[in-house]
Amino acid sequence: MAFRFRRSARLGPLRFNFAKSGLSSISVGGRGASFNIPVSRSGGARTTVGLPGTGLSWSAEHTSDRPAAIRDVPAAGLPNSRRLRPGQLDAFKQSLLAVLRQELFAPGSTGEQLWEHSLGSRLLADGSIGARTTGLLALIETPEAMENYLLRAQGQDDAKRRAQRCITAVQEAARLAAGRGWLA
């Protein structure tokens, strides 16, 4: 029988849930109703409502705001293991790149405007942006930067995480650029 480690700590209304690998999620609420945001686990945020003492509860996972095309990218026959045949991972990375280009940087899209007008570089030069956001924006500053970042993935899950970070970076860059009046 394997041992599990689970610990949580409260800070005001927030509960930080830890696993042996580190912070796993952050929860708000308590008995009867809670909202859980994952940090190191897969899946989306979860809302749970229940009747305390009865054992009855209802839970719903909120889907991420990734484009459906990224969520549904076929794994190109990849097995669910760390051992991949040569070329399978590379083909998967290329299919993710194609979907990112099609969904985020299609002609007339916000992503295309970011690259066409070098808005990512302009945002990176702005000193008022935090270090985390700067690191995120650097991923999509140029088409080559995004491609290099995604192609460095070490596995199928890593490639999916990197694709999600690129999507988040485009959304954040679009929000910041729109806030500065740089996007039409």
Side-chain angles (χ1 to χ4, degrees), residues 100-120 123 137 140-141 166-179 181-184:
L100 285 174
R101 287 186 183 121
Q102 178 184 0
E103 294 291 320
L104 299 175
F105 300 100
S109 69
T110 302
E112 184 196 38
Q113 290 179 29
L114 291 171
W115 281 348
E116 187 177 299
H117 303 296
S118 299
L119 298 181
L123 287 167
L137 296 179
I140 59 151
E141 182 178 10
C166 289
I167 293 166
T168 304
V170 169
Q171 292 170 341
E172 183 65 16
R175 185 187 67 77
L176 290 169
W182 296 345
L183 287 176

Side-chain angles (χ1 to χ4, degrees), residues 53-77:
T54 66
L56 299 174
S57 66
W58 173 81
S59 186
E61 186 170 325
H62 306 283
T63 59
S64 66
D65 54 357
R66 291 186 292 178
I70 294 291
R71 282 192 307 268
D72 302 330
V73 170

Side-chain angles (χ1 to χ4, degrees), residues 38-175:
V39 174
S40 65
R41 70 168 173 84
S42 61
R46 180 177 295 279
T47 301
T48 303
V49 178
L51 296 171
T54 66
L56 299 174
S57 66
W58 173 81
S59 186
E61 186 170 325
H62 306 283
T63 59
S64 66
D65 54 357
R66 291 186 292 178
I70 294 291
R71 282 192 307 268
D72 302 330
V73 170
L78 294 178
N80 287 330
S81 72
R82 300 284 181 217
R83 296 181 187 183
L84 304 174
R85 283 181 252 135
Q88 285 183 316
L89 182 59
D90 293 332
F92 181 65
K93 291 177 196 177
Q94 291 299 328
S95 66
L96 279 175
L97 272 172
V99 170
L100 285 174
R101 287 186 183 121
Q102 178 184 0
E103 294 291 320
L104 299 175
F105 300 100
S109 69
T110 302
E112 184 196 38
Q113 290 179 29
L114 291 171
W115 281 348
E116 187 177 299
H117 303 296
S118 299
L119 298 181
S121 299
R122 288 176 64 186
L123 287 167
L124 287 170
D126 186 349
S128 66
I129 296 176
R132 181 187 172 281
T133 304
T134 299
L136 194 61
L137 296 179
L139 301 177
I140 59 151
E141 182 178 10
T142 64
E144 295 81 19
M146 183 183 76
E147 183 175 335
N148 289 336
Y149 175 68
L150 192 58
L151 292 179
R152 285 193 312 262
Q154 297 298 309
Q156 178 181 353
D157 291 338
D158 186 29
K160 287 180 181 180
R161 272 191 298 275
R162 287 173 183 252
Q164 177 59 45
R165 281 189 51 105
C166 289
I167 293 166
T168 304
V170 169
Q171 292 170 341
E172 183 65 16
R175 185 187 67 77

Side-chain angles (χ1 to χ4, degrees), residues 5-24:
F5 170 79
R6 183 156 184 253
R7 177 78 178 136
S8 62
R10 273 194 149 331
L11 181 63
L14 300 177
R15 177 180 300 273
F16 296 90
N17 304 306
F18 297 93
K20 64 181 172 183
S21 60
L23 181 64
S24 64

